[in-house]
C-alpha cells in the first residue's frame, strides 16, 4: 500500500477508465447475469452501508429482507416456506446440502444423486461437506433421466438434486418425476432453480410447456433461485427456500452476543443492498412486469433461432429456457474468433461442439442481427 493516499478524484477516474475495458453489454451473449433493473441499482446504492449480519441495527433492512423473501416464496407454491437471502446459487446449494446432511446423521458416507449437467458448485459443496456426488446420464434434450437416478440411489443417498435450468443448456430436469421418486423414498429433494426460478413461473403462465418445479410437488424439500440472474437484481443476491421452518432451522447457529438472532446462512456480514435491490425490482416489476420480461426474452430467442436456422445452422436440442446451443464441430475456435471481434459467447468444456448463447434482458433483435452476421463471417454451418 502506498504511504500517502492519492486524491480521491484521481482514484475514481482511474477506476472509470478501467471499467471502459469491460465488454459492453451489447456484445455479451454468454452471461446469465444482465444489466440490473434501474430500481435495483438505485435501491442497492441507497443501502450500501447496511449489514444484514447485524439485525439489531438494521431493523428496517431486516424487514426488507422478509418482504423480498415473502414475494419470492409466493412464486413457489407454498406461502409458509422458509427462505434465506444468500450470496448466490453456490451458497444456496451449499445450505441445502448442509440441511440434507444434517437430516441423516446416521449415514457415515453420504452421497447425492444428480444429472450430469448439475452445476459445478456441487463439486465445491460436496468437497466441503464430505459428500460423494454421483452423476447420472441425460436424455436427448440434456435432462436427467429418472430411470438412471433410480438406479444410482442407494442406502448412502442423502439427497436427490434436480436442476431447473442447467447452466449449459437451460434444460429443466423432469422435476415432477424426480419429486415423486424422492417422496416415495422419503429422500431429500433439492431443486437448483438458480437459472430457472425467475423464468419458469412466468413462462408457464405464458403457456410454455415446462414442468412444475416448486413446493406444489410433495417431494420438493428445497429450492435455490437467483435474483441476480433472471431476477434482474444486483450481485450478490441469491435465495434458498425450504419446505418448512424446521428444515431451515436445522442449520441455525447461535452468535455469541446477547440479544442477537441466530444465523441460518453461511455469510455473517451480509449485504443489505442486495436485499433492498431485490425487493425494489420485485415490487417495481410485479408479476406482470416479469411476464413482459419473459415474453420478450422468448421472442428474442425465437428470433435468434429463426435467423440461425435460416442460415443453415442447427441447434443441438430445442431449448426450454433462454439458452440456445448451436451444433458446430469447431465451436471453441469459433468462440475465440468471435472474441477477437468483440463478441463474448461460451462453449462448455464438456460439450465442445455446442456454441452456447444466452438470451437475457440486454439482448434484443438488433443485437441478434449483428451477431448472426458476424457468426456467418466466421463459421460456415456444417453440411447436413
Ligand atoms: C449460476 C448457477 C449456480 C451458481 O450460482 P452463483 O450465483 O454463481 O453462485 C448454481 N446453479 C445453477 C443452475 C446456476 O445457473
Amino acid at each position: 500500500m502506498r504511504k500517502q493516499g492519492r486524491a480521491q478524484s484521481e482514484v475514481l477516474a482511474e477506476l472509470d477508465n478501467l471499467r471502459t475495458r469491460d465488454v459492453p453489454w451489447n456484445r455479451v451473449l454468454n452471461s446469465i447475469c444482465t444489466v440490473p433493473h434501474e430500481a435495483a441499482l438505485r435501491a442497492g446504492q441507497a443501502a450500501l452501508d447496511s449489514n444484514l449480519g447485524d439485525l439489531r441495527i438494521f431493523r428496517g433492512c431486516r424487514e426488507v429482507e422478509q418482504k423480498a423473501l415473502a414475494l419470492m416464496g409466493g412464486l413457489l407454491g407454498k406461502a409458509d416456506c422458509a427462505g434465506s437471502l444468500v450470496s448466490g446459487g453456490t451458497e444456496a446449494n451449499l445450505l441445502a446440502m448442509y440441511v440434507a446432511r444434517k437430516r441423516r446423521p446416521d449415514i457415515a458416507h453420504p452421497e447425492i444423486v444428480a444429472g450430469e449437467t448439475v452445476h459445478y458448485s456441487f463439486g465445491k459443496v460436496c468437497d466441503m461437506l464430505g459428500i460423494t456426488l454421483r452423476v447420472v446420464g441425460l436424455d436427448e434434450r440434456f435432462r436427467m433421466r429418472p430411470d438412471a437416478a433410480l438406479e444410482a440411489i442407494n442406502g448412502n443417498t442423502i439427497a436427490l438434486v434436480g436442476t431447473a435450468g442447467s447452466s449449459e443448456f437451460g434444460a429443466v430436469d423432469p422435476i415432477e418425476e424426480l419429486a415423486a421418486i424422492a417422496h416415495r423414498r422419503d429422500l431429500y429433494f433439492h431443486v437448483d432453480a438458480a437459472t430457472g426460478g425467475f423464468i419458469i413461473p412466468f413462462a408457464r403462465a405464458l403457456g410454455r410447456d415446462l414442468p412444475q418445479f416448486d413446493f406444489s410437488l410433495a417431494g420438493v424439500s428445497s429450492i435455490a433461485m437467483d435474483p441476480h440472474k433472471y431476477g434482474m437484481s444486483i450481485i450478490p443476491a441469491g435465495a434458498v427456500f425450504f419446505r418448512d421452518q424446521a428444515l431451515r432451522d436445522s442449520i441455525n447457529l447461535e452468535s455469541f452476543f446477547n440479544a442477537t438472532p441466530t444465523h441460518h446462512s453461511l455469510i455473517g456480514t451480509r449485504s443489505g443492498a442486495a436485499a433492498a435491490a431485490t425487493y425494489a425490482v420485485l415490487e417495481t416489476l410485479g408479476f406482470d412486469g416479469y411476464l413482459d420480461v419473459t415474453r420478450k426474452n422468448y421472442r428474442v430467442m425465437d428470433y435468434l433461432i429463426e435467423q440461425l436456422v435460416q442460415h443453415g445452422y442447427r441447434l443441438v436440442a430445442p431449448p426450454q429456457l433462454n439458452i440456445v446451443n448451436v451444433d458446430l464441430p469447431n465451436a471453441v475456435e469459433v468462440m475465440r474468433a468471435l472474441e477477437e471481434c468483440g463478441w463474448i459467447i461460451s462453449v462448455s468444456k464438456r460439450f465442445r461442439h455446442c456454441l452456447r448463447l444466452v438470451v437475457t434482458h440486454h439482448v434484443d433483435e438488433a443485437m441478434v442481427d449483428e451477431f448472426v452476421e458476424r457468426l456467418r463471417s466466421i463459421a460456415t454451418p456444417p453440411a447436413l
Side-chain angles (χ1 to χ4, degrees):
M1 190 188 288
R2 62 178 73 233
K3 182 157 155 39
Q4 237 181 2
R6 287 155 71 195
Q8 177 177 306
S9 59
E10 190 186 308
V11 177
L12 295 179
E14 179 192 346
L15 288 169
D16 280 347
N17 189 42
L18 282 171
R19 280 229 62 191
T20 65
R21 297 184 51 185
D22 293 348
V23 174
W25 284 112
N26 70 356
R27 287 294 177 270
V28 173
L29 281 171
N30 72 319
S31 177
I32 283 184
C33 296
T34 183
V35 196
H37 191 281
E38 188 193 342
L41 284 172
R42 293 175 71 157
Q45 194 136 32
L48 275 175
D49 64 328
S50 65
N51 170 17
L52 287 171
D54 196 330
L55 299 177
R56 292 177 69 208
I57 305 175
F58 297 99
R59 299 168 190 179
C61 283
R62 175 185 201 173
E63 210 172 307
V64 171
E65 179 179 29
Q66 295 312 315
K67 281 169 171 277
L69 285 168
L71 292 176
M72 278 185 274
L75 287 175
L76 297 177
K78 192 167 182 290
D80 63 342
C81 61
S84 302
L85 281 190
V86 295
S87 54
T90 303
E91 188 185 350
N93 291 333
L94 173 68
L95 295 178
M97 293 303 98
Y98 190 18
V99 167
R101 213 188 80 159
K102 284 266 182 182
R103 190 173 165 266
R104 294 304 303 269
D106 55 311
I107 294 179
H109 301 287
E111 301 182 2
I112 62 171
V113 171
E116 206 182 321
T117 49
V118 68
H119 190 265
Y120 55 78
S121 53
F122 282 90
K124 301 181 197 178
V125 168
C126 288
D127 199 35
M128 281 191 269
L129 293 175
I131 296 173
T132 300
L133 173 60
R134 273 184 183 272
V135 296
V136 306
L138 309 173
D139 68 12
E140 74 292 347
R141 290 180 75 179
F142 303 96
R143 299 171 297 200
M144 180 180 188
R145 283 181 20 231
D147 59 316
L150 260 178
E151 247 170 63
I153 292 169
N154 63 41
N156 286 332
T157 310
I158 58 163
L160 183 60
V161 175
T163 304
S166 61
S167 300
E168 282 149 319
F169 299 102
V172 182
D173 287 341
I175 302 296
E176 289 160 357
E177 283 148 274
L178 296 171
I181 292 172
H183 193 54
R184 271 203 309 278
R185 299 179 165 236
D186 189 29
L187 201 55
Y188 189 99
F189 180 42
H190 175 62
V191 179
D192 180 1
T195 290
F198 274 97
I199 303 176
I200 298 171
F202 310 108
R204 278 172 60 90
L206 292 170
R208 291 266 166 177
D209 178 24
L210 291 165
Q212 191 49 276
F213 74 107
D214 65 19
F215 295 117
S216 61
L217 306 170
V220 173
S221 311
S222 54
I223 299 170
M225 69 193 284
D226 267 359
H228 67 203
K229 291 177 179 164
Y230 280 87
M232 295 170 64
S233 184
I234 59 169
I235 298 169
V240 60
F241 292 88
F242 297 94
R243 174 167 282 279
D244 54 54
Q245 186 96 25
L247 278 179
R248 189 186 69 175
D249 288 350
S250 67
I251 54 168
N252 276 358
L253 201 85
E254 293 288 335
S255 140
F256 45 53
F257 290 110
N258 272 296
T260 55
T262 54
H263 286 211
H264 38 252
S265 56
L266 178 69
I267 310 288
T269 303
R270 291 191 298 134
S271 167
T278 300
Y279 178 69
V281 59
L282 286 163
E283 275 290 271
T284 304
L285 285 177
F287 194 89
D288 287 350
Y290 278 107
L291 272 186
D292 290 342
V293 169
T294 307
R295 192 184 290 112
K296 179 245 149 211
N297 286 341
Y298 274 96
R299 189 193 72 219
V300 173
M301 180 180 82
D302 290 342
Y303 180 71
L304 170 65
I305 294 170
E306 185 192 299
Q307 291 301 305
L308 289 167
V309 169
Q310 194 179 318
H311 290 107
Y313 298 97
R314 265 170 302 156
L315 304 190
V316 298
Q320 292 180 280
L321 305 185
N322 305 128
I323 301 176
V324 174
N325 277 271
V326 186
D327 196 346
L328 277 181
N330 57 343
V332 177
E333 280 165 50
V334 175
M335 176 191 81
R336 294 211 177 97
L338 282 165
E339 186 158 346
E340 268 174 32
C341 306
W343 286 93
I344 309 291
I345 62 99
S346 52
V347 179
S348 162
K349 285 181 182 156
R350 306 186 294 183
F351 304 93
R352 299 176 64 86
H353 66 292
C354 301
L355 189 94
R356 171 181 173 271
L357 308 169
V358 181
V359 174
T360 179
H361 179 59
H362 63 271
V363 182
D364 61 13
E365 280 91 349
M367 192 174 151
V368 166
D369 284 338
E370 285 186 72
F371 172 75
V372 172
E373 193 182 325
R374 178 51 80 193
L375 178 68
R376 290 180 64 208
S377 74
I378 287 171
T380 35
L384 286 175

